[in-house]
């Protein structure tokens, strides 16, 4: 058909692009080429390891899954010791480990990814321009355990478990089990209301640890002895996972990451945890319990979490519900000075166990020295070198002499960049603890969201004595949101709250959060407490609508709606 | 003074050697140059890290310690994830980590090294021609716990602890504690006789795990509920450490190692564990409880252990006593075939948890395929490549096609080399379990030693179904030893014993151990049982002296002294 003498320029042009397209098509890798077909119910992990290796080798643009169910076990998964901020460190088995990949996409095409046991679904390290889309993440057996409360006595309760939550009793201790005698230890208890499908009204955490005396009271039924325990028959007692070992998606030292159309039905940890990364977009990410299941919990920790991230973080049309901790927490990390060694050298320590190994200090990074008491910046400096001693300690040499006021106990954090944050069109509800913890010094916009949280919907955190999380907003707009009956639990004192770790004596000397505008929101309130702040410079509350509600009975009926302490430039209209 | 015109050749010669000597002297590094002085009672670990770094940099010949006490804490120690055979893996803090060093010596000059908490004293990786000498290793707080039996009841005992063994009781569970609330979990119980200072006569291990119900019966006194527990008041109950996490000296992938004049008073694991190493000499190594202490235990596991070592292993004038497991165990490691993938490719698995991560298969290594039932060699082959999937699984490609009889479940081990072993002038006594486990196919000589072991003094082990330890001697001489009242405990059925893991049905088809000569030894026997073997080809027992003893009462007074089954060429004179 092709007659050379008659080829027109336009035809040549078409040929050129067909060739280009063929090359691009070659750059799509299909998991079925590695023997992995949908609905096989066998371990897909080795095929994924091979497929990702191929993708890296051929610089593939895309890895695709024919739509269906895929199962992944840890047995033959890639292994790596991970230090992930606010998670438990450890030698982990990883289904999808992406290291140093660029310009790459994983498209599940609507597939279900079902994980079995202690396996981390997705870990990205040093990647750039990566997209994940169109799949769900779930486990066949959850890391938490949920039982129905049968009876409540003084200092004990009776609980029944369905066969979704196998267990054994040894030496009067309750051990939750899975395949191959895998154990699923619990560390705390929390009651859920199965009708509202949220934490039970004003239910408290019982931090029992795993060693609670129990006895069997029949098949699938136990009596659990916890001093002072309370509960309501027919409610669900959730036995919270003792560790955050298998977060669904871990992003480390990566940039330009787009996650879209992903359902995270469960994780033994967080939904998405990003650290030392920049430019992350979450669109249509749904952290929610598996549909049509009786499960109360989705993930066993925060839906999302961001530590020392920069660039832009965008949440668009996300649903974060029923996770066992906050919907998001965006913060930096403080290290503490443990020794002043020379005029420009200090030894510093990562303090919180779940921050161990979180190396963020790098040469030429600009840093702040701050007090641990009020988190006031003492001075700024620049890193000359940072040498890790071990996962806890680092030797830090600064370019400039230390300020004379620096002392052991002061903290240091990066000031090299803070993310701009946009949270819009999201629904955040029914989870344990708070909604969003805003701790970035970049521009923050929170708009068009619906909050129905058991604790504060929005918390301004930051803490240099326990959590060691650097925070303190500088420019934050909260507008056009609906706060729908928040604070029906014990984790807050107002819908929007400062909860920074500044001791009362220091609050007047600190202005840790600044320039907050709260406008055009609707507050549906069964409880009077709307705002509770301290150590703020600049907050305007205007044009908001407050609607009374009878959805719950207020535990604080006479409380002051607006509590403002040790602050300046506060306008409440 | 120096007048060039009159310089004689001899003077030049002296000058030359003075210069040479000065260089050599520079190559001795003294820890005191790093601020570490004896008896400071502060953490010496950072100074050691710096000193070792200097030694490596200047290619020092020697690191010396002015005589005295040095203390080491884990806080600022170097960190590395270690997979050490027959130990528990983990991210460890290491006081002396030597990597890639050659021609180097550490001379303690009689110093005491006292460790605190979870720290590994010495780890060598890829080192050559290294000597350690003249120091002792101990911990301020041991990993095991020892209490005095006060009373014994049906299914419970009362035990009292001195303040050397702090503990707390939580939820009716006994938690042993140390500084900073460090926990020292136990996993088993074993009774010791404080008069004989050895395991109590016929005392059995109670593998309780850590979750034994207890109650306090006064300060430092507990009642412990263990079904069927036995014991004798005033004896010592040792609560064995749950993990082998801190062995004293770990040698990995190293050669020409000489350890001499070292006292190992304690370790949370083994005294010396060597893996994939060659040419190791232990001279005057004393594994013994801290002198003048009431401690029953020295190390909480084997005094020494050798996995996949080659070259020559020499023990000369060593004392191994009161450790919680064997004095030595010299063996290879079997992996199990889990999949046959192609005519020359198999997937293999490390089976025992404490062998996970023990990668020994390397390109060009000669290997054997053997049955798991009788450990008979099926065929030999050579490794083309071995690719680690994770700490459990490896993909193994062989140079030659697999034998047609190879099946899943068969095992594979190295045949690339076995160590010659010389054990002479050693005393092995009073420990839990056995004396020496001989599993090398090299030349073995055991001479001029004294054994007083609770189990078999000499055991020919090997096991492809539980321990996965390759053994089977080929040339073993046992001569001029004194076996002094062995088998007063439950860990043996004769003084010299085959205990290979070959099921009775397979024993006649296997000749796993060969060419054993037992001559000119003295057997002091309260118990008739001298020899118990099976699956042996070639054993001569001659010119030995058997002396009756009344030191203990025999539990087996009518037993046959020589039990020989499924063997050939056995001469007992």
């Amino acid at each position: 058909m092709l007659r050379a003498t008659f080829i027109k320029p336009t035809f040549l042009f078409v040929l050129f692009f067909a060739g280009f397209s063929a090359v691009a098509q070659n750059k799509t890798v299909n998991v079925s080429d590695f023997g992995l077909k949908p609905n096989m119910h066998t371990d897909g992990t080795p095929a994924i390891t091979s497929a990702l290796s191929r993708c890296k080798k051929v610089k593939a643009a895309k890895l695709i899954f024919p739509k269906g169910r895929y199962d992944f076990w840890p047995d033959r998964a890639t292994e790596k010791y991970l230090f992930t901020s606010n998670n438990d460190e450890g030698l982990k088995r990883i289904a999808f480990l992406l290291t140093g990949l660029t310009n790459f996409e994983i498209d599940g095409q609507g597939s279900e990814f079902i994980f079995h046991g202690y396996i981390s679904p997705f870990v990205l390290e040093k990647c750039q321009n990566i997209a994940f889309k169109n799949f769900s993440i779930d486990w066949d057996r959850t890391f938490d355990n949920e039982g129905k409360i049968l009876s409540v006595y003084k200092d004990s309760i009776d609980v029944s478990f369905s066969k979704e939550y196998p267990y054994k009793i040894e030496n009067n201790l309750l051990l939750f089990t899975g395949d191959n005698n895998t154990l699923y230890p619990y560390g705390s208890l929390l009651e859920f209301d199965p009708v509202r499908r949220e934490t039970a009204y004003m239910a408290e955490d019982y931090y029992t640890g795993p060693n609670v005396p129990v006895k069997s009271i029949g098949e699938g039924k136990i009596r659990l002895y916890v001093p002072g325990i309370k509960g309501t028959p027919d409610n669900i007692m959730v036995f919270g996972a003792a560790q955050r070992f298998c977060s669904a998606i871990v992003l480390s030292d990566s940039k330009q990451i787009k996650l879209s159309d992903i359902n995270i039905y469960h994780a033994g940890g967080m939904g998405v945890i990003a650290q030392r990364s920049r430019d992350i977009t979450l669109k249509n990410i749904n952290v929610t319990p598996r549909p049509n299941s009786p499960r109360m919990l989705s993930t066993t920790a925060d839906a999302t979490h961001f530590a020392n991230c920069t660039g832009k973080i965008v949440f668009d049309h996300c649903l974060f519900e029923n996770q066992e901790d906050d919907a998001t927490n965006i913060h930096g990390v403080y290290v503490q000075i443990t020794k002043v060694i020379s005029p420009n050298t200090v030894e510093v320590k990562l303090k919180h166990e779940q921050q161990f190994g979180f190396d963020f200090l790098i040469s030429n990074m600009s840093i702040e020295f701050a007090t641990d008491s009020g988190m006031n910046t003492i001075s700024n400096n620049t890193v000359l070198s940072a040498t890790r001693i071990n996962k806890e300690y680092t030797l830090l040499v600064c370019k400039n002499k230390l300020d004379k006021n620096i002392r052991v106990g002061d903290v240091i954090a990066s000031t090299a960049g803070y993310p701009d944050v946009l949270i819009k069109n999201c629904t955040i509800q029914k989870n344990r603890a708070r909604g969003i913890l805003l701790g970035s010094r970049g521009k923050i916009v929170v708009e068009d969201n619906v909050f129905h949280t058991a604790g504060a919907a929005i918390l301004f955190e930051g803490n240099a004595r326990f959590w060691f999380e650097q925070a303190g907003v500088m420019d934050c707009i909260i507008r056009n949101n609906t706060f729908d009956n928040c604070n029906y639990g014990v984790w807050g004192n107002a819908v929007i709250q400062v909860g920074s770790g500044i001791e009362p004596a220091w609050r007047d000397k600190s202005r840790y959060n600044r320039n907050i505008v709260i406008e055009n929101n609707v507050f549906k309130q069964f409880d009077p407490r709307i705002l509770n702040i301290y150590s703020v410079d600049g907050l305007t509350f205007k044009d908001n609508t407050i609607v009374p509600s009878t959805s719950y009975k207020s535990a604080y009926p006479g409380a002051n709606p607006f509590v403002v302490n040790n602050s300046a430039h506060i306008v409440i209209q």
Side-chain angles (χ1 to χ4, degrees), chain A:
Chain A
M1 280 173 66
L2 198 152
R3 288 171 295 178
T5 48
F6 291 96
I7 293 173
K8 290 177 191 165
T10 48
F11 188 74
L12 270 172
F13 185 80
V14 167
L15 262 185
F16 174 79
F17 272 88
F20 187 83
S21 160
V23 171
Q25 204 166 16
N26 283 340
K27 287 201 170 180
T28 293
V29 172
N30 190 319
V31 294
S32 65
D33 295 340
F34 295 83
L36 186 56
K37 314 279 182 193
N39 313 315
M40 292 170 80
H41 298 280
T42 55
D43 185 8
T45 315
I48 294 304
T49 304
S50 301
L52 285 173
S53 174
R54 170 80 60 85
C55 288
K56 195 164 181 177
K57 195 173 168 187
V58 304
K59 293 191 166 53
K62 203 189 255 200
L63 177 67
I64 59 168
F65 289 75
K67 185 176 177 176
R69 169 178 166 149
Y70 297 88
D71 289 79
F72 304 99
W73 276 264
D75 304 61
R76 290 166 175 85
T78 305
E79 199 168 54
K80 186 157 193 181
Y81 201 97
L82 297 187
F83 293 104
T84 307
S85 189
N86 300 78
N87 279 250
D88 287 292
E89 67 181 73
L91 187 68
K92 313 223 178 161
R93 298 287 170 93
I94 304 160
F96 294 76
L97 174 62
L98 279 63
T99 309
L101 278 175
T102 54
N103 307 321
F104 180 65
E105 177 179 306
I106 293 179
D107 186 348
Q109 300 190 131
S111 293
E112 282 181 275
F113 296 156
I114 307 291
F115 297 87
H116 301 256
Y118 286 80
I119 182 166
S120 295
F122 292 87
V123 175
L124 273 76
E125 297 188 333
K126 297 180 181 164
C127 291
Q128 183 172 358
N129 191 23
I130 305 291
F132 289 172
K133 63 186 186 190
N134 299 325
F135 56 82
S136 66
I137 293 173
D138 198 5
W139 265 259
D140 66 329
R141 195 257 185 262
T142 59
F143 290 89
D144 67 302
N145 289 276
E146 306 183 3
K148 184 170 152 184
I149 299 174
L150 301 175
S151 309
V152 180
Y153 314 99
K154 184 179 180 313
D155 301 331
S156 68
I157 55 169
D158 294 346
V159 180
S160 73
F161 294 100
S162 72
K163 62 182 195 298
E164 302 292 303
Y165 304 106
Y167 67 86
K168 60 185 176 183
I169 295 176
E170 279 182 10
N171 284 319
N172 306 319
L173 298 177
L174 176 62
L175 302 176
F176 291 106
T177 57
D179 292 342
N180 305 316
N181 281 315
T182 304
L183 296 179
Y184 291 83
Y186 68 97
S188 60
L189 308 179
L190 179 62
E191 186 186 354
F192 275 68
D193 178 334
V195 178
R196 292 184 187 258
R197 296 191 56 74
E198 62 189 27
T199 61
Y201 178 74
M202 293 295 161
E204 287 183 35
D205 293 296
Y206 295 97
Y207 291 109
T208 58
N211 298 329
V212 179
V214 297
K215 72 173 185 186
S216 177
I217 54 166
E219 200 183 324
K221 296 177 187 172
I222 60 156
R223 182 163 297 159
L224 187 79
Y225 297 86
V226 178
I229 194 163
K230 289 175 191 144
T232 302
D234 293 332
N235 273 0
I236 301 298
M237 190 59 87
V238 170
F239 291 65
Q243 283 202 305
R244 300 168 168 192
F245 206 76
C246 300
S247 284
I249 299 176
V250 178
L251 311 175
S252 279
D253 305 294
S254 294
K255 51 192 171 183
Q256 291 169 264
I257 307 299
K258 185 168 181 187
L259 309 177
S260 61
D261 301 295
I262 298 173
N263 299 317
I264 300 175
Y265 296 139
H266 183 69
M270 296 171 175
V272 178
I273 161 70
Q275 58 183 0
R276 300 178 306 262
S277 294
R278 62 180 291 133
D279 298 325
I280 300 161
T281 299
L282 280 66
K283 188 168 183 186
N284 296 327
I285 303 300
N286 302 304
V287 174
T288 178
R290 180 194 291 176
N292 306 315
S293 84
R295 291 183 190 169
M296 288 298 121
L297 273 200
S298 55
T299 58
T300 68
D302 311 45
T304 73
H305 203 112
F306 298 82
N308 277 57
C309 290
T310 55
K312 183 137 193 173
I313 299 173
V314 176
F315 300 80
D316 183 10
H317 281 95
C318 294
L319 169 65
F320 301 132
E321 64 179 2
N322 292 71
Q323 69 276 1
E324 207 177 357
D325 213 335
D326 314 313
T328 198
N329 184 351
I330 300 166
H331 64 87
V333 168
Y334 287 121
V335 288
Q336 191 179 57
I337 299 175
T338 44
K339 282 182 190 171
V340 176
I341 292 171
S342 81
N344 70 337
T345 305
V346 289
E347 182 194 74
V348 297
K349 187 179 186 309
L350 289 154
K351 291 290 287 181
H352 192 271
E353 271 198 1
Q354 288 174 331
Q355 290 165 347
F356 286 178
F358 182 74
D359 298 334
F360 66 90
L361 295 163
I362 54 172
S363 294
N364 298 315
M365 175 180 268
S366 54
I367 53 175
E368 63 165 335
F369 286 70
T371 59
D372 63 327
S373 50
M375 293 179 288
N376 293 300
T377 301
I378 304 165
S379 64
N380 292 292
N381 212 319
T382 305
V383 177
L384 183 65
S385 70
T387 308
R388 176 184 176 134
I389 297 169
N390 53 41
K391 67 182 179 182
E392 294 176 70
Y393 289 94
T394 293
L395 196 69
L396 173 67
V397 185
C398 296
K399 287 199 175 167
N400 305 312
K401 271 178 69 174
L402 305 182
D403 185 284
K404 65 179 179 357
N405 294 314
I406 300 302
R407 60 167 190 82
V408 167
D410 289 336
V411 293
I412 297 171
S414 167
T415 55
Y418 307 102
D420 291 339
V421 178
L422 173 62
I423 301 177
K424 67 172 184 182
N425 294 316
C426 295
T427 300
I428 291 169
Q429 60 183 8
K430 299 169 184 277
N431 58 301
R432 178 189 165 281
R434 289 76 50 107
I436 57 179
L437 276 64
L438 301 177
S440 171
R441 297 173 186 179
K443 182 167 183 59
I444 301 176
V445 177
V446 178
E447 63 186 3
D448 298 317
N449 305 288
V450 176
F451 294 87
H452 172 59
T453 52
I458 297 177
L459 180 68
F460 297 97
E461 219 253 14
N463 184 304
R465 286 193 168 169
F466 181 74
W467 293 110
F468 290 87
E469 292 179 355
Q470 179 208 35
V473 301
M474 295 290 176
D475 180 358
C476 178
I477 298 174
I478 298 165
R479 64 188 171 210
N480 304 329
N481 302 284
T482 299
F483 296 97
D484 179 8
N485 290 292
C486 295
N487 271 310
Y488 55 88
V490 299
W491 302 279
N493 61 22
V495 179
I496 299 173
Q497 175 187 349
V498 167
S500 302
I502 304 168
E503 284 171 25
W506 291 91
R507 288 182 184 172
D508 200 36
K509 296 187 182 66
S510 177
R511 294 292 179 266
Y512 198 56
N513 288 287
R514 294 164 188 265
N515 306 324
I516 300 168
V517 175
I518 304 166
E519 61 184 3
N520 293 314
N521 302 284
V522 175
F523 291 83
K524 297 183 184 167
Q525 293 290 110
F526 72 92
D527 177 277
R529 302 170 305 160
I530 288 176
L531 186 73
N532 188 317
I533 62 169
Y534 54 84
S535 303
V536 172
D537 184 353
L539 182 143
T540 301
F541 185 95
K542 67 175 183 186
D543 302 328
N544 297 290
T545 307
I546 298 170
V547 184
S549 161
T550 56
S551 291
Y552 303 82
K553 186 179 167 200
S554 175
Y556 306 90
N560 185 348
F562 299 94
V563 178
V564 178
N565 287 305
N566 306 118
S567 297
H569 309 110
I570 307 299
V571 178
I572 295 174
Q573 293 174 346

